[in-house]
Each structure stands twice: as C-alpha cells, then as structure tokens.
Amino acid sequence: MVTMLEVTDVTAKGAACCAPLVKEPLGQADAEQLATTLKALADPARLRLLSIVASSDGQEACVCDLTEPIGLSQPTVSHHLKVLTEAGFLTRSKRGTWAYYRLVPESLDQVSALLVTAQSGA
Amino acid sequence: MVTMLEVTDVTAKGAACCAPLVKEPLGQADAEQLATTLKALADPARLRLLSIVASSDGQEACVCDLTEPIGLSQPTVSHHLKVLTEAGFLTRSKRGTWAYYRLVPESLDQVSALLVTAQSGA
C-alpha cells in the first residue's frame, strides 16, 4: 500500500475570521470559513490524532507514533493529518524518513475564542 | 409548505465529555461524542442562526425572526434549529404561535474549554 506522506504546502487557512458568536451575527462568508474549520475538527479520528499531538512532548509527534494508537492504516492517518494541516491546526516537517506534526496552538485558541460566551474581564 | 416546528424533547447530549485536547489523548468514545457536537456546529447556516440567537437580547430569538436574515425557507431553518437544539446549544419553548430559541451558553463554553490550549492561571 502506498504511503501518503504528501508534501503539504497548502497555505493554512487559519481559523480567525470574525467576532465571537455572542457578539454579533456572523455573515455568510465568515460562517462558511468557520464551518470549514470546524468540519476539519469534527471527526473522531482527527480529534484523537490532534489530541495525541497536542498532549505530546513539545506538542509534536512523529507520524510513526500516530498509527498504532488510532488503529487505522497509515494512509488513512496521513489523510486525516493532511486535513488538520490544511486547516491550520498542525504543521508538518520531514526529518529523515519520517514526517513530524506539530500543534499550532493559536489555531485551536482562535476557534475556542470564537465560541466562548463567558466574559473574562471583558 | 408545511411548517416544521417540531416538538424537540430529545435529551440534550451536551458537549462535556473529556479533558482538554492538550491534556491527554482522547479515547474513541469521547472523540465520537465531541465530533458529533462539532458536526452540529460545522455548518454555515447553523453558525449564523446560533450567532443571531446568541447576540440577541436575552440570548433568545423567535423563529419568526430567524428565517429572513438567513435567506432560507422556514422548514430548512427549523431543521437547523432542531440540530442545534438536539446538540444542546439551544433550548426551545413555544409561546403562543411561535417557537423561541434560547442559547445554552454553557454548551458553547464547554466546547471552547475543550479546544483551548492557553493556560489561564492553570
């Protein structure tokens, strides 16, 4: 089976698009952008992969350590990692044989900030 | 066209399931629950509806005021509101002719707290 460690040089779309949901109604373009970002998260395998990377030392993990805990094939895992990378949640770097994925914490924090309703000092 | 103001007495699933993504790897059951919750959000029309309700006075809005700004038919709007209600983001109450939808702020805050990576005093 072909390994699918594609070079991901797609420009990260990022998650920041708009004011928090409780502040003002979202326009259509902002809503579409945020929905795309949330769809990248809204998959059990991707959430599990993201949480493994996010909770790893240095918030980075080798793809070689991501297949076994998820119980999916390497091509499937690589596909999910590509979706997360294109959505801006992970960055990918190749070192030697393996690809390493690192969390982009700002991307999760941006989504979190758009959803939160509790005013912390605001 | 039939109006679809269904009685939504489905038990809200809620969003709380697990530790924040950066704390520890998600298990499969938790990942499936969070993915289901995020899928309910990951739609442009639902995000727009939720933001209209969330930014309304009292974080509540009449379904009669939700159709026009979104530009979708009332049955479609009611379907999206039902998905948001079943996911625990809104509650529905019928007063007279109309249904009113109110934000459940804790539900958004729970999702937000699961995603955030920034430690605030932790």
Side-chain angles (χ1 to χ4, degrees), chain A residues 21-28 30-32 34-35 38-39 41-45 47-48 50-52 54-56 59 70 103 105-106 108-109 111-113 115-118, chain B residues 21-28 30-32 34-35 38-39 41-45 47-48 50-52 54-56 59 70 103 105-106 108-109 111-113 115-118:
Chain A
L21 295 193
V22 294
K23 293 289 183 191
E24 61 185 44
L26 278 179
Q28 183 64 25
D30 286 345
E32 287 175 6
L34 182 54
L38 289 169
K39 275 179 192 153
L41 283 180
D43 177 274
L47 286 169
R48 294 189 70 192
L50 192 60
S51 72
I52 293 172
S55 61
S56 294
Q59 298 187 324
I70 302 293
L103 180 69
E106 298 80 8
L108 278 176
D109 289 337
V111 175
S112 174
L115 300 181
V116 75
T117 76
Chain B
L21 295 195
V22 295
K23 293 289 183 192
E24 61 186 45
L26 280 178
Q28 182 65 25
D30 286 344
E32 286 175 6
L34 182 54
L38 288 169
K39 274 179 193 153
L41 284 181
D43 176 274
L47 286 170
R48 293 189 71 191
L50 193 61
S51 72
I52 293 172
S55 61
S56 295
Q59 298 187 324
I70 302 294
L103 181 68
E106 298 79 9
L108 278 177
D109 289 337
V111 175
S112 175
L115 300 181
V116 75
T117 75

Side-chain angles (χ1 to χ4, degrees), chain A residues 1 14 24 36 38 42 49 53 61 64 77 82 95 104 109 115 117:
Chain A
M1 194 175 276
E24 61 185 44
T36 299
L38 289 169
L49 288 165
V53 173
C64 56
V77 167
K82 186 174 184 217
R95 299 204 290 276
V104 181
D109 289 337
L115 300 181
T117 76

